[in-house]
């Protein structure tokens, strides 16, 4: 059974940093498209950052220059380093993985086959 488990969320002051982790089990994702999404209360789940095969790394405009996505294939894990956090970053953050190495629509939910349960990030202003 494939599982993705996020960790690292919490409460942080505006301007602070957090590092989210996502550990995968049940299969390896070293060559697969992976991503982070987030969902704020009353809003749709939105793309944050992804690693998409030969297309490389992609970020939502709202987090460019502040967030960094990375992966450690040896640990079958992915990470999201979040700096300069602000109140608009408050959301539940989800990691996701696809069975494919490349997704044309990498910023859409339907491309991803596996999801974590989410971790809450709250930024106080």
């Amino acid at each position: 059974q494939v599982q993705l488990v996020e960790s690292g969320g919490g409460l942080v002051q505006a301007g602070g940093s957090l590092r989210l982790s996502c550990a995968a089990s049940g299969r390896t994702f070293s060559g697969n498209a992976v991503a982070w999404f987030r969902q704020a209360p009353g809003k749709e789940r939105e793309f944050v950052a992804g690693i998409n095969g030969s297309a490389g790394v992609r970020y939502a405009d709202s987090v460019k220059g502040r967030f960094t996505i990375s992966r450690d294939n040896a640990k079958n894990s992915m990470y999201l380093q979040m700096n300069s956090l602000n109140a608009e970053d408050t959301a539940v953050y989800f990691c996701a993985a696809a069975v494919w190495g490349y997704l044309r629509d990498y910023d859409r939910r339907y491309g991803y086959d596996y999801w974590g349960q989410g971790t809450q990030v709250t930024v106080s202003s």
Side-chain angles (χ1 to χ4, degrees):
Q1 182 179 359
V2 177
Q3 279 192 316
L4 302 179
V5 179
E6 301 97 336
S7 60
L11 175 64
V12 64
Q13 287 189 332
S17 298
L18 280 175
R19 185 178 188 240
L20 305 183
S21 299
C22 174
S25 61
R27 64 162 288 173
T28 59
F29 290 99
S30 60
N32 298 68
V34 294
W36 288 93
F37 285 73
R38 67 186 181 186
Q39 188 166 14
K43 294 189 176 181
E44 294 289 320
R45 192 172 299 187
E46 64 176 2
F47 172 81
V48 175
I51 302 174
N52 189 34
S54 59
V57 175
R58 294 290 184 266
Y59 296 98
D61 288 343
S62 59
V63 307
K64 277 182 183 176
R66 300 188 299 122
F67 290 13
T68 302
I69 186 173
S70 62
R71 68 196 306 170
D72 185 336
N73 291 334
K75 296 182 178 179
N76 208 25
S77 295
M78 57 189 283
Y79 308 95
L80 186 68
Q81 177 67 43
M82 305 186 295
N83 299 328
S84 302
L85 286 161
N86 57 59
E88 288 70 39
D89 296 317
T90 295
V92 178
Y93 284 71
F94 300 87
C95 62
V99 298
W100 303 105
Y102 171 81
L103 295 176
R104 183 187 64 182
D105 297 326
Y106 62 89
D107 57 347
R108 305 297 179 89
R109 293 177 56 182
Y110 60 74
Y112 297 90
D113 303 280
Y114 304 102
W115 291 84
Q117 82 289 350
T119 185
Q120 177 70 47
V121 172
T122 303
V123 184
S124 63
S125 56

